[in-house]
Amino acid sequence: MTRHFLRDDDISPEEQSEILALAAEMKADRFSRRPLEGPQTVAVIFDKSSTRTRVSFAVGIADLGGQPLIISTANSQLGGKETPSDTARVLERMVAAIVWRTYGQAGLEEMAKNTTVPVINSLSDDFHPCQLLADLLTIQEHKGDLAGLTVTFVGDGGSNMGHSYALACTTAGMHVRIACPPSFSPQPSVVGDARAIAEQSGGSITVLHSLDEAVEGSDVVVTDTWVSMGKEAEKAERVATFGSFQVGAEAMGKARGDAIFLHCLPADRGFEVTPEVIDGPQSVIWDESENRLHAQKALMVWLLEHA
C-alpha cells in the first residue's frame, strides 16, 4: 500500500523517529542514498510562491539521483480543466512521486486517493508537515532527545504551522503550548487529534491566550508570520490583534536560559519577532532552513521504500 505524507500524523511516533534518524544520517553523508538514480522524475507542483520549498525539493531530488519537474498550476491544467484525481492518474505513469504546495487540503487528499505513487504535502492551508520534520531535526540537533521538551508556538494557532506543531510535536512526545488570541485558536478537531496522540506518546497540548504564561520555562519558542499568503487584506486587523504576541527579548527571557528560537521564514522583523531575537544567539533559523533539505530527502527515501 502506497504511503503518503499529507499531515503530520500520517506517520507514527516510531516512523517519525526513523525518518529523523535517516535525515541526520543523510545530512552527515549527503549523497549516500540514490533511490532516484536513472534519473527518475519527481513532480513538484506549486499553487503558491516559494523559496525554501522550491530550492530544498529541487536540490534534494537531484541529490537522490533524480530530476525535479517544477510545475506551476498557472501553466498547467490542474486547478482549471482537470481534477486532482485525473492529474494524479496522468502523473503516476511518468513520475516516482508528487509534491504539491497548495491551498485546500481536500485536493491533496483527492490526489493521494487516486495514485499509486507517494504524494507529499509541501504546504497547505491546514498543515505544513515537511517544515515540522525540519524543525524537529533542528531541535534534536540542539537539544538532544525530543520527548519531554516543552515547545511553545506563538501566533496564529489556527494556521498550518499551529496545526502542524500540535500534531508533530505530540507525536514526538513533546509538551506543546499554543499561544494565540482566542479568535485564532487551533481547530478543535486538530487539538483533539493531538490530545489523542499525546495520551500514547507521553506528550501534551495546551492552548493558552497569554504569551508570558505560554513561554515560561519553554525549551523551544517558535513563531510565524501573522499574515500568511492569501491573508494580505487582513494585515492591519491581524497586526492589531497579534500585537501582544510579539516574540521579543522579554518573552525569550521567560523561557529557559538555553532555549532556542525557530521561525520557518519568511519573517517580518518588527512584527511577530524583534530583530534582536531572530538575529540573536538563541536563534537557529539558518540551521532550520537548511534542514528542510535533509528532512525532505529522508522523507522521500522513506516513502519510496514504503511505496
Side-chain angles (χ1 to χ4, degrees):
M1 178 177 153
T2 303
R3 295 292 299 270
H4 305 289
F5 192 55
L6 308 184
R7 45 184 278 168
D8 307 80
D9 54 353
D10 281 343
I11 53 176
S12 68
E14 294 75 22
E15 290 169 339
Q16 183 192 73
S17 180
E18 187 179 334
I19 293 167
L20 292 174
L22 180 58
E25 173 190 319
M26 294 175 68
K27 183 173 182 176
D29 189 355
R30 182 166 165 175
F31 303 105
S32 59
R33 305 291 287 269
R34 305 274 288 178
L36 295 172
E37 200 80 76
Q40 296 182 66
T41 300
V42 174
V44 189
I45 308 170
F46 289 92
D47 292 352
K48 296 185 175 185
S49 60
S50 165
T51 298
R52 278 150 293 279
T53 298
R54 184 182 298 267
V55 174
S56 58
F57 268 109
V59 173
I61 292 161
D63 283 0
L64 297 177
Q67 175 175 290
L69 174 61
I70 308 297
I71 302 171
S72 167
T73 48
N75 299 314
S76 72
Q77 300 295 350
L78 178 60
K81 295 180 180 180
E82 193 162 71
T83 63
S85 57
D86 285 354
T87 297
R89 291 186 178 103
V90 170
L91 291 177
E92 72 178 9
R93 303 292 185 99
M94 307 180 199
V95 304
I98 301 168
V99 179
W100 192 7
R101 180 180 174 95
T102 187
Y103 292 91
Q105 186 76 11
L108 283 156
E109 293 171 357
E110 179 185 340
M111 182 172 281
K113 287 177 182 176
N114 291 280
T115 186
T116 56
V117 300
V119 175
I120 297 172
N121 175 6
S122 58
L123 177 142
S124 70
D125 287 344
D126 289 335
F127 303 101
H128 200 352
C130 289
Q131 181 67 57
L132 261 290
L133 287 178
D135 288 9
L136 290 175
L137 178 61
T138 307
I139 296 166
Q140 189 170 264
E141 288 175 340
H142 287 270
K143 307 297 289 185
D145 291 341
L146 297 173
L149 293 177
T150 297
V151 56
T152 297
F153 175 83
V154 182
D156 185 350
S159 67
N160 49 21
M161 285 296 289
H163 289 161
S164 279
Y165 257 89
L167 296 178
C169 292
T170 51
T171 298
M174 302 171 78
H175 301 292
V176 185
R177 300 172 184 169
I178 307 292
C180 59
S183 57
F184 288 90
S185 296
Q187 292 179 13
S189 62
V190 174
V191 175
D193 290 341
R195 286 194 173 129
I197 294 168
E199 287 178 5
Q200 301 299 317
S201 69
S204 66
I205 179 167
T206 308
V207 179
L208 299 164
H209 304 305
S210 163
L211 174 61
D212 289 347
E213 183 181 359
V215 296
E216 184 71 39
S218 294
D219 298 288
V220 184
V221 179
V222 190
T223 193
D224 188 20
T225 180
W226 292 338
V227 187
S228 299
M229 282 179 282
K231 306 291 185 182
E232 289 81 5
E234 303 172 16
K235 182 170 183 176
E237 178 185 351
R238 282 175 170 258
V239 168
T241 301
F242 285 101
S244 62
F245 288 87
Q246 183 185 72
V247 178
E250 183 178 350
M252 287 301 296
K254 294 181 183 298
R256 291 178 61 89
D258 60 351
I260 57 174
F261 172 80
L262 281 78
H263 190 307
C264 67
L265 303 178
D268 290 327
R269 286 170 168 80
F271 287 90
E272 71 270 10
V273 61
T274 62
E276 64 184 327
V277 170
I278 196 170
D279 297 321
Q282 291 173 286
S283 175
V284 295
I285 61 169
W286 307 121
D287 293 343
E288 178 187 9
S289 181
E290 177 192 343
N291 281 338
R292 286 289 299 275
L293 171 66
H294 309 298
Q296 288 163 185
K297 284 172 63 178
L299 173 66
M300 287 188 282
V301 169
W302 191 88
L303 289 172
L304 290 167
E305 289 178 348
H306 290 77

